[in-house]
Protein backbone atom coordinates (compact mmCIF):
# COMPACT_ATOMS: atom_id res chain seq x y z
CA UNK A 1 0.00 0.00 0.00
CA UNK A 2 1.29 3.47 -0.91
CA UNK A 3 2.16 5.70 2.07
CA UNK A 4 -0.42 8.31 3.07
CA UNK A 5 -0.17 11.70 1.44
CA UNK A 6 -0.69 15.17 2.94
CA UNK A 7 -3.11 17.61 1.34
CA UNK A 8 -1.61 21.06 0.73
CA UNK A 9 -2.22 24.30 -1.18
CA UNK A 10 -4.99 24.52 -3.74
CA UNK A 11 -7.49 21.74 -4.35
CA UNK A 12 -10.66 21.05 -6.28
CA UNK A 13 -13.87 20.31 -4.42
CA UNK A 14 -15.69 17.97 -6.79
CA UNK A 15 -19.24 19.14 -6.19
CA UNK A 16 -21.90 21.23 -7.92
CA UNK A 17 -23.81 21.66 -4.65
CA UNK A 18 -23.37 25.13 -3.10
CA UNK A 19 -24.23 23.93 0.43
CA UNK A 20 -21.66 21.15 0.36
CA UNK A 21 -19.07 23.51 -1.09
CA UNK A 22 -19.56 26.01 1.74
CA UNK A 23 -19.31 23.31 4.39
CA UNK A 24 -16.18 21.74 2.89
CA UNK A 25 -14.47 25.11 2.41
CA UNK A 26 -15.14 25.94 6.07
CA UNK A 27 -13.67 22.61 7.19
CA UNK A 28 -10.52 23.01 5.06
CA UNK A 29 -9.82 26.75 5.57
CA UNK A 30 -8.19 26.37 9.03
CA UNK A 31 -5.55 24.14 7.41
CA UNK A 32 -4.60 26.78 4.83
CA UNK A 33 -6.25 24.85 1.99
CA UNK A 34 -7.94 26.96 -0.70
CA UNK A 35 -10.48 25.39 -2.99
CA UNK A 36 -12.18 25.88 -6.31
CA UNK A 37 -15.22 23.79 -7.11
CA UNK A 38 -16.21 21.66 -10.08
CA UNK A 39 -19.28 23.88 -10.43
CA UNK A 40 -17.19 27.07 -10.56
CA UNK A 41 -14.89 25.56 -13.22
CA UNK A 42 -17.87 24.36 -15.26
CA UNK A 43 -16.69 20.73 -15.15
CA UNK A 44 -19.23 18.05 -16.09
CA UNK A 45 -20.79 15.92 -13.34
CA UNK A 46 -19.80 12.27 -13.73
CA UNK A 47 -22.48 9.60 -13.50
CA UNK A 48 -22.52 8.00 -10.05
CA UNK A 49 -22.44 4.37 -11.14
CA UNK A 50 -20.86 2.90 -7.98
CA UNK A 51 -22.67 0.51 -5.68
CA UNK A 52 -21.21 1.97 -2.46
CA UNK A 53 -20.83 5.46 -0.96
CA UNK A 54 -17.03 5.18 -1.22
CA UNK A 55 -17.16 4.09 -4.87
CA UNK A 56 -19.31 7.09 -5.77
CA UNK A 57 -17.12 9.54 -3.83
CA UNK A 58 -14.09 8.11 -5.62
CA UNK A 59 -15.73 8.44 -9.08
CA UNK A 60 -16.38 12.15 -8.42
CA UNK A 61 -12.89 12.82 -7.00
CA UNK A 62 -11.16 10.94 -9.83
CA UNK A 63 -13.11 12.82 -12.53
CA UNK A 64 -12.28 16.12 -10.80
CA UNK A 65 -8.56 15.35 -10.56
CA UNK A 66 -8.36 14.35 -14.22
CA UNK A 67 -10.26 17.41 -15.44
CA UNK A 68 -8.53 20.01 -13.24
CA UNK A 69 -5.02 18.68 -12.61
CA UNK A 70 -5.56 19.44 -8.91
CA UNK A 71 -5.93 17.11 -5.92
CA UNK A 72 -9.68 16.62 -5.77
CA UNK A 73 -11.92 16.10 -2.79
CA UNK A 74 -15.42 14.58 -3.08
CA UNK A 75 -18.05 13.18 -0.75
CA UNK A 76 -21.02 10.90 -0.94
CA UNK A 77 -23.50 10.31 1.83
CA UNK A 78 -26.89 8.98 2.75
CA UNK A 79 -29.05 7.17 5.25
CA UNK A 80 -29.41 3.38 5.58
CA UNK A 81 -32.43 1.87 7.35
CA UNK A 82 -31.90 -1.54 8.94
CA UNK A 83 -35.57 -2.59 8.61
CA UNK A 84 -35.49 -1.74 4.88
CA UNK A 85 -32.40 -3.83 4.18
CA UNK A 86 -30.19 -0.71 4.08
CA UNK A 87 -32.40 1.40 1.74
CA UNK A 88 -32.41 4.17 0.66
CA UNK A 89 -28.59 4.09 1.06
CA UNK A 90 -26.81 5.45 -2.02
CA UNK A 91 -30.25 6.43 -3.39
CA UNK A 92 -31.01 8.80 -0.46
CA UNK A 93 -31.01 11.93 -2.62
CA UNK A 94 -33.02 10.20 -5.36
CA UNK A 95 -35.75 9.07 -2.93
CA UNK A 96 -36.34 12.79 -2.34
CA UNK A 97 -36.27 13.70 -6.05
CA UNK A 98 -33.55 16.12 -5.03
CA UNK A 99 -35.67 18.14 -2.61
CA UNK A 100 -38.85 16.51 -1.27
CA UNK A 101 -37.44 15.26 2.02
CA UNK A 102 -40.81 15.31 3.78
CA UNK A 103 -42.01 12.87 1.09
CA UNK A 104 -38.88 10.72 1.41
CA UNK A 105 -39.18 10.57 5.21
CA UNK A 106 -42.87 9.66 4.91
CA UNK A 107 -41.96 6.87 2.46
CA UNK A 108 -39.42 5.44 4.91
CA UNK A 109 -41.97 5.58 7.73
CA UNK A 110 -44.68 3.98 5.57
CA UNK A 111 -42.41 1.17 4.38
CA UNK A 112 -41.31 0.47 7.98
CA UNK A 113 -44.98 0.32 9.08
CA UNK A 114 -45.82 -2.04 6.20
CA UNK A 115 -43.14 -4.36 7.54
CA UNK A 116 -44.54 -4.01 11.08
CA UNK A 117 -41.50 -2.06 12.33
CA UNK A 118 -43.08 0.16 14.99
CA UNK A 119 -40.92 -0.28 18.11
CA UNK A 120 -37.75 1.85 18.40
CA UNK A 121 -35.46 -1.21 18.23
CA UNK A 122 -37.05 -2.09 14.85
CA UNK A 123 -36.41 1.41 13.51
CA UNK A 124 -32.61 1.56 13.64
CA UNK A 125 -30.78 3.53 10.95
CA UNK A 126 -27.37 5.01 10.26
CA UNK A 127 -25.92 7.85 8.24
CA UNK A 128 -22.74 7.29 6.23
CA UNK A 129 -20.36 9.88 4.85
CA UNK A 130 -17.65 8.77 2.44
CA UNK A 131 -14.84 11.20 1.64
CA UNK A 132 -12.31 10.63 -1.15
CA UNK A 133 -9.27 12.58 -2.22
CA UNK A 134 -7.66 11.70 -5.55
CA UNK A 135 -4.42 13.31 -6.78
CA UNK A 136 -3.75 13.87 -10.51
CA UNK A 137 -1.26 10.95 -10.45
CA UNK A 138 -4.05 8.66 -9.26
CA UNK A 139 -3.11 8.43 -5.56
CA UNK A 140 -6.25 7.84 -3.46
CA UNK A 141 -7.07 8.48 0.20
CA UNK A 142 -10.54 7.59 1.46
CA UNK A 143 -12.45 7.78 4.72
CA UNK A 144 -15.87 6.74 5.97
CA UNK A 145 -17.79 8.09 8.98
CA UNK A 146 -20.94 6.60 10.51
CA UNK A 147 -23.50 7.62 13.14
CA UNK A 148 -26.15 5.19 14.39
CA UNK A 149 -29.60 6.13 15.61
CA UNK A 150 -33.34 5.49 15.61
CA UNK A 151 -36.01 6.86 13.29
CA UNK A 152 -38.84 8.76 15.01
CA UNK A 153 -42.26 9.69 13.65
CA UNK A 154 -43.47 12.40 13.26
CA UNK A 155 -40.27 14.23 12.30
CA UNK A 156 -38.99 16.72 14.90
CA UNK A 157 -37.21 20.05 14.42
CA UNK A 158 -36.61 22.42 11.53
CA UNK A 159 -32.81 22.69 11.70
CA UNK A 160 -30.45 20.84 9.37
CA UNK A 161 -31.52 19.31 6.09
CA UNK A 162 -32.53 16.07 4.41
CA UNK A 163 -33.51 13.27 6.77
CA UNK A 164 -32.33 15.14 9.91
CA UNK A 165 -35.79 15.63 11.52
CA UNK A 166 -36.49 11.87 11.82
CA UNK A 167 -33.01 10.82 12.97
CA UNK A 168 -32.41 10.50 16.71
CA UNK A 169 -28.71 9.74 17.25
CA UNK A 170 -28.00 7.03 19.84
CA UNK A 171 -27.42 8.46 23.32
CA UNK A 172 -29.25 11.72 22.55
CA UNK A 173 -32.77 13.00 23.22
CA UNK A 174 -33.03 15.44 20.34
CA UNK A 175 -33.10 14.64 16.63
CA UNK A 176 -30.53 16.10 14.21
CA UNK A 177 -33.37 18.43 13.17
CA UNK A 178 -33.49 19.81 16.71
CA UNK A 179 -29.72 20.38 17.02
CA UNK A 180 -27.64 23.38 16.04
CA UNK A 181 -25.27 22.91 13.14
CA UNK A 182 -22.34 23.21 15.55
CA UNK A 183 -23.70 20.50 17.82
CA UNK A 184 -24.26 18.18 14.85
CA UNK A 185 -21.23 18.87 12.65
CA UNK A 186 -18.82 20.63 15.03
CA UNK A 187 -15.33 19.26 15.65
CA UNK A 188 -14.81 19.19 19.45
CA UNK A 189 -11.79 21.32 20.42
CA UNK A 190 -10.61 18.64 22.87
CA UNK A 191 -10.27 16.13 20.02
CA UNK A 192 -13.11 13.90 21.27
CA UNK A 193 -15.33 12.10 18.72
CA UNK A 194 -17.57 14.40 16.65
CA UNK A 195 -21.26 13.50 16.31
CA UNK A 196 -22.21 13.54 12.64
CA UNK A 197 -21.05 10.99 10.08
CA UNK A 198 -19.50 13.80 7.97
CA UNK A 199 -17.62 15.34 10.91
CA UNK A 200 -16.37 11.87 11.94
CA UNK A 201 -15.07 11.11 8.45
CA UNK A 202 -13.45 14.55 8.35
CA UNK A 203 -11.73 13.97 11.72
CA UNK A 204 -10.11 10.83 10.30
CA UNK A 205 -9.16 12.65 7.08
CA UNK A 206 -7.60 15.51 9.07
CA UNK A 207 -5.51 13.08 11.13
CA UNK A 208 -4.10 11.38 8.03
CA UNK A 209 -3.96 14.11 5.36
CA UNK A 210 -3.85 17.41 7.26
CA UNK A 211 -1.99 16.51 10.47
P1 LIG B 1 -25.34 13.03 -1.94
O1 LIG B 1 -24.23 12.82 -0.92
O2 LIG B 1 -25.30 14.41 -2.52
O3 LIG B 1 -25.44 11.92 -2.91
O4 LIG B 1 -26.73 13.02 -1.18
C1 LIG B 1 -26.87 12.51 0.07
C2 LIG B 1 -28.30 12.58 0.54
O5 LIG B 1 -28.31 11.88 1.79
C3 LIG B 1 -28.77 13.97 0.82
O6 LIG B 1 -29.54 14.48 -0.20
C4 LIG B 1 -29.63 13.75 2.06
O7 LIG B 1 -30.85 13.28 1.62
C5 LIG B 1 -29.00 12.59 2.77
N1 LIG B 1 -28.08 13.03 3.83
C6 LIG B 1 -26.73 12.93 3.83
N2 LIG B 1 -26.21 13.45 4.95
C7 LIG B 1 -27.27 13.89 5.67
C8 LIG B 1 -27.36 14.56 6.92
O8 LIG B 1 -26.38 14.87 7.62
N3 LIG B 1 -28.60 14.86 7.32
C9 LIG B 1 -29.72 14.56 6.60
N4 LIG B 1 -29.68 13.97 5.43
C10 LIG B 1 -28.46 13.63 4.95
Amino acid sequence: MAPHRRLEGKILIATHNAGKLREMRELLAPYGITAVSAGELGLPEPEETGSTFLANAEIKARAGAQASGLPSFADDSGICVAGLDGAPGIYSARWADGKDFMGAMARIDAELRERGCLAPHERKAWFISALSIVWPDGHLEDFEGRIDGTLVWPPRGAAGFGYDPMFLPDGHERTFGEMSSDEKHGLPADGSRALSHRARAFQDLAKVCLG
Side-chain angles (χ1 to χ4, degrees):
M1 208 182 91
H4 290 303
R5 196 178 289 182
R6 266 181 65 85
L7 197 57
E8 288 168 327
K10 187 173 167 188
I11 69 162
L12 178 86
I13 296 181
T15 184
H16 288 71
N17 176 322
K20 275 191 185 177
L21 177 63
R22 193 177 334 109
E23 192 180 320
M24 291 181 189
R25 270 199 175 124
E26 279 169 14
L27 286 168
L28 292 163
Y31 298 93
I33 308 271
T34 56
V36 287
S37 77
E40 287 163 342
L41 294 185
L43 303 180
E45 278 183 89
E47 218 187 315
E48 295 180 29
T49 52
S51 56
T52 63
F53 294 106
L54 271 175
N56 282 332
E58 192 183 324
I59 285 170
K60 290 182 267 191
R62 208 168 279 290
Q66 272 163 12
S68 69
L70 293 168
S72 294
F73 175 62
D75 89 314
D76 201 57
S77 58
I79 191 165
C80 302
V81 180
L84 303 182
D85 309 315
I90 58 169
Y91 305 109
S92 295
R94 271 168 267 182
W95 272 38
D97 268 337
K99 53 185 182 308
D100 179 16
F101 287 101
M102 195 54 218
M105 288 191 287
R107 176 173 168 191
I108 288 178
D109 183 62
E111 292 196 13
L112 282 172
R113 276 169 208 277
E114 267 169 37
R115 295 189 186 201
C117 299
L118 300 173
H121 74 271
E122 296 167 321
R123 297 173 63 93
K124 304 303 292 180
W126 60 94
F127 276 115
I128 295 279
S129 165
L131 302 180
S132 279
I133 310 171
V134 173
W135 276 257
D137 68 0
H139 180 85
L140 164 75
E141 299 280 356
D142 54 20
F143 306 90
E144 196 168 82
R146 170 174 172 151
I147 171 75
D148 286 87
T150 302
L151 298 176
V152 300
W153 199 259
R156 292 174 4 207
F161 67 98
Y163 298 89
D164 278 347
M166 76 181 306
F167 186 81
L168 183 66
D170 285 349
H172 291 258
E173 289 177 0
R174 282 170 304 132
T175 67
F176 270 174
E178 294 171 304
M179 290 185 182
S180 69
S181 156
D182 200 44
E183 195 175 355
K184 181 187 163 196
H185 293 301
L187 303 178
D190 63 4
S192 59
R193 204 80 183 118
L195 185 57
S196 86
H197 46 311
R198 205 166 291 101
R200 287 179 172 183
F202 189 81
Q203 277 182 322
D204 290 346
L205 180 154
K207 247 180 258 156
V208 171
C209 296
L210 299 167

